[in-house]
Amino acid sequence: MSSIKIDWSKVENPELVFQRFPSRRSVVYGTKGIVSSSQPLATEAGLEILRKGGNAADAAVATSAALNVTEPSCCGIGGDAFCLFYDAKTKSVRALNGSGRAPKRLDIDYLNSRGVYNRIPLTDLNSVTVPGAAAAWVDTIENFGSGAVSRADIFAPAIRLAEEGVPVSEIHGWAWQKSEDLIKNASPNGDEMLLNGKAPLPGQVIQLPNLAKTFREVVEKGKDGFYRGRIAEAIVEVIKSQGGLMELDDLAEHTTSLVEPIKYTYAGEVTLYECPPNGQGLTALLALGILENIQQQGLSRPLLEMEHNSPEYLHTLIEALRLAFADSQYYVTDPDVEHIPLKELLSKEYLASRARLFSSKGTNPRVVHGNPTNSSDTVYFSVTDQWGNACSYIQSNYAGFGTGAIPKGCGFTLQNRGSGFVLDKNHPNALKGGKRPYHTIIPALATRGDELFLSYGVMGGFMQPQGHVQVLLNILRGFSPQAALDAPRFCISAGTPDAESKSGGAAGDVNSEVYFEEGISAEIVKRLRDMGHDARQVGGFERGLMGRGQVIQKLQDPSGKLVWAAGSDLRADGHAAAQI
């Protein structure tokens, strides 16, 4: 169809246009590198670096920067990033936390004095934590890159796209339309990311010359090009203009954290790796552990013997994830500031005790976080290379374009990740100056023994750990990477759980709704309602709630030759493509 003529804001029933389910996409195979992302031009940027001799990490940064140009409604240099890197030589997994910290001067009392309680509003510029993506890109190259390509080489595709312009894709164009007013009103600089004062329509070409200038400063000066000088000053200026407390020192002192990934081995077969807190990857590990213990205790049949997406199967996964969220949304915070009992949370004894809260007959009406010391809009992509390395990468502005505020002359919006803090001084995730908030974005890797099995992820707020579990179990069921992504999913609401439950219960209660994609029948949804679930169905653009994933699986040809098999989510604009 001729996308240029579609103005989504004027389409009465956009879901009728957005009929791509079920679709048929083939698995993409390759014997060298593969890039799987939500934007074809970003995928090509990564392939360009692989062809020049760069490895998976080098290509991941090229893809990441290109996504800032091709999909700024989800991500950018004004946001944060996390990465997991599988090193084929050492057969080890390493993690990078590229999230930023709250301004040192910002505290709960200041926000309360401005009439802000519970959470920082998404449009309040005090929700801007120090953007971590720029440092994450530089540190990914320096710590995991091949050394065969320069920083200039890696950023060249994104700079070219920003200067020459890119045609806007369909789903991304719809997201831009929705955020037009936000961008116009968030700062005086909205025109830097609009086309003639309007959000660009699908198929229209938009240039982002100021973003290209920002990228060039990072190429020339490294991290100092972003965290000191012109760009840092512009960030502070726009935040302070609206009562924010960010200072130049907050930016200058920012550091990326190289951290040890956390992991859980499921059924003695596959080990799932996640970045540790302040990311929410712990949720996926807890859910897998609870699921395994539910089966070991005979509280349900083995998952893979259940019919896929049957009421029995869905109920079991939902209940395990509700228990996992009850813990993670209480305990996940900045480990540099608060102690997190990770070892105890992932212990066999604790997971067994949580599994005993499961009933195959219906929902547990009151799920609260346990006490393990005594007994929940983003872009994800994956890159692999000819040497067997894999880079699982994710980046985000948090809520779409984030705050929508643009530092003058910089060409990007600032994230609103600080809205992830709780404004309760007694909560582990309470706001403190210099602290990192609960973070939703999480990449994933899975191994069999010490051999890479999957580099994958599912983007989308609190959907992410839910997607990690559902897609992994689909693969273990025998689905191909593409089929594992195509399969209809469920999503427990982003309201799971909050400091106060909607029902007025104690902190940590999980009584939220569960959404099911079309493809899961109305009859199944009704049966789940009968079991106590607040079950609802979604279709059309609302399917964005289910996240958008990418999967690359490592295969072994009978000849011994390395083969990659990749899928790309049909809920997004992109695809997987192989290096030749």
Side-chain angles (χ1 to χ4, degrees):
M1 79 186 118
S2 179
S3 300
I4 268 184
K5 297 179 182 178
I6 297 177
D7 181 345
W8 296 116
S9 65
K10 295 180 174 61
V11 175
E12 288 187 16
N13 296 300
E15 67 275 5
L16 299 181
V17 181
F18 192 61
Q19 293 297 327
R20 297 183 178 166
F21 306 88
S23 83
R24 185 190 184 281
R25 291 187 178 188
S26 297
V27 174
V28 174
Y29 294 100
T31 57
K32 294 183 180 179
I34 282 189
V35 183
S36 184
S37 87
S38 56
Q39 289 290 327
L41 294 174
T43 293
E44 175 57 30
L47 290 174
E48 181 175 321
I49 300 307
L50 290 177
R51 295 188 195 105
K52 289 183 176 180
N55 71 0
D58 299 320
V61 175
T63 304
S64 186
L67 281 163
N68 188 168
V69 186
T70 58
E71 202 165 22
S73 62
C74 296
C75 67
I77 199 169
D80 290 339
F82 287 75
C83 137
L84 289 168
F85 182 74
Y86 178 83
D87 188 324
K89 286 185 179 179
T90 62
K91 298 185 183 299
S92 62
V93 181
R94 300 155 72 188
L96 180 148
N97 180 333
S99 64
R101 298 159 180 84
K104 291 193 296 293
R105 291 178 53 215
L106 186 63
D107 60 24
I108 292 173
D109 290 338
Y110 174 74
L111 291 169
N112 290 167
S113 74
R114 290 167 57 90
V116 176
Y117 302 93
N118 191 30
R119 302 273 180 171
I120 308 175
L122 295 170
T123 55
D124 187 326
L125 294 199
N126 279 300
S127 70
V128 182
T129 53
V130 174
W137 290 344
V138 173
D139 289 326
T140 297
I141 296 167
E142 292 181 355
N143 288 278
F144 308 142
S146 65
V149 286
S150 68
R151 197 157 61 217
D153 292 329
I154 291 168
F155 279 86
I159 291 171
R160 189 167 65 245
L161 288 169
E163 289 180 338
E164 296 178 2
V166 295
V168 174
S169 60
E170 291 182 82
I171 298 171
H172 170 50
W174 173 73
W176 216 324
Q177 293 279 311
K178 287 201 307 178
S179 296
E180 180 180 304
D181 288 342
L182 172 70
I183 294 168
K184 286 179 177 177
N185 298 325
S187 71
N189 313 310
D191 282 348
E192 294 188 30
M193 295 187 68
L194 296 171
L195 184 62
N196 300 320
K198 295 282 188 180
L201 299 177
Q204 291 184 327
V205 175
I206 187 163
Q207 295 171 289
L208 299 170
N210 288 339
L211 180 60
K213 292 176 185 176
T214 294
F215 286 163
R216 289 187 184 281
E217 295 205 32
V218 174
V219 169
E220 295 167 9
K221 302 173 186 175
K223 287 179 277 191
D224 281 354
F226 187 88
Y227 297 98
R228 298 174 187 271
R230 177 187 73 87
I231 296 170
E233 290 167 3
I235 292 171
V236 169
E237 179 183 1
V238 72
I239 292 174
K240 282 191 165 185
S241 72
Q242 297 187 35
L245 299 185
M246 184 80 73
E247 300 285 354
L248 289 173
D249 286 349
D250 293 312
L251 291 153
E253 294 172 11
H254 172 75
T255 56
T256 304
S257 298
L258 294 171
V259 290
E260 186 71 21
I262 55 177
K263 60 185 179 180
Y264 183 83
T265 300
Y266 179 73
E269 179 184 7
V270 171
T271 300
L272 178 64
Y273 288 83
E274 300 276 358
C275 290
N278 55 315
Q280 66 171 340
L282 174 64
T283 314
L285 304 187
L286 288 168
L288 281 180
I290 292 167
L291 286 168
E292 185 168 35
N293 276 273
I294 285 172
Q295 295 167 89
Q296 289 175 347
Q297 294 177 35
L299 299 171
S300 80
R301 292 192 297 142
L303 283 174
L304 301 186
E305 292 181 11
M306 299 178 191
E307 181 183 347
H308 183 255
N309 279 356
S310 63
E312 178 187 21
Y313 182 77
L314 292 168
H315 169 70
T316 306
L317 265 61
I318 291 163
E319 289 296 281
L321 280 159
R322 290 175 72 226
L323 287 161
F325 270 124
D327 282 339
S328 67
Q329 287 211 332
Y330 182 77
Y331 288 105
V332 169
T333 184
D334 187 342
D336 292 341
V337 179
E338 308 284 350
H339 171 68
I340 305 171
L342 286 174
K343 182 178 179 181
E344 293 87 350
L345 283 164
L346 293 172
S347 70
K348 177 72 174 177
E349 296 76 17
Y350 181 70
L351 292 170
S353 73
R354 298 299 272 166
R356 286 193 287 272
L357 298 174
F358 170 78
S359 168
S360 62
K361 296 180 180 180
T363 62
N364 184 331
R366 186 174 173 82
V367 175
V368 299
H369 67 81
N371 189 342
T373 58
N374 295 324
S375 50
S376 159
D377 299 300
T378 298
V379 166
Y380 170 81
F381 58 95
S382 185
V383 183
T384 57
D385 63 36
Q386 61 187 305
W387 301 285
N389 303 307
C391 196
S392 184
Y393 217 95
I394 197 161
Q395 59 189 36
S396 176
N397 295 328
Y398 193 32
F401 282 91
T403 60
I406 300 169
K408 186 176 181 179
C410 296
F412 61 84
T413 59
L414 292 167
Q415 41 91 328
N416 43 19
R417 187 57 65 174
S419 295
F421 282 118
V422 175
L423 303 186
D424 173 355
K425 294 179 182 179
N426 297 316
H427 196 285
N429 186 38
L431 167 67
K432 291 181 183 176
K435 184 178 180 180
R436 295 175 295 188
Y438 179 110
H439 232 286
T440 55
I441 64 173
I442 50 172
L445 277 171
T447 62
R448 278 194 161 121
D450 60 3
E451 293 291 337
L452 179 68
F453 176 46
L454 298 173
S455 177
Y456 82 111
V458 177
M459 63 193 87
F462 294 98
M463 178 63 202
Q464 294 176 61
Q466 304 179 61
H468 286 193
V469 171
Q470 292 177 69
V471 170
L472 176 61
L473 291 174
N474 289 347
I475 294 281
L476 295 180
R477 185 177 283 271
F479 288 18
S480 71
Q482 187 60 55
L485 290 169
D486 288 351
R489 298 196 279 260
F490 69 82
C491 177
I492 303 172
S493 164
T496 334
D498 210 333
E500 287 283 327
S501 74
K502 293 178 182 177
S503 62
D509 281 359
V510 185
N511 294 305
S512 54
E513 58 272 16
V514 188
Y515 294 91
F516 298 87
E517 247 183 324
E518 290 172 355
I520 297 174
S521 71
E523 179 185 354
I524 289 174
V525 172
K526 181 182 181 302
R527 289 181 64 184
L528 289 164
R529 284 197 199 104
D530 292 342
M531 298 176 77
H533 295 281
D534 184 359
R536 312 177 186 197
Q537 280 190 303
V538 295
F541 278 107
E542 290 183 349
R543 277 187 155 125
L545 183 66
M546 302 300 158
R548 303 172 300 157
Q550 318 293 335
V551 176
I552 304 179
Q553 183 176 3
K554 180 183 177 183
L555 305 176
Q556 204 72 41
D557 186 75
S559 68
K561 196 173 186 68
L562 170 66
V563 177
W564 300 113
S568 181
D569 207 310
L570 44 77
R571 299 163 187 83
D573 290 316
H575 65 198
Q579 176 191 4
I580 58 172

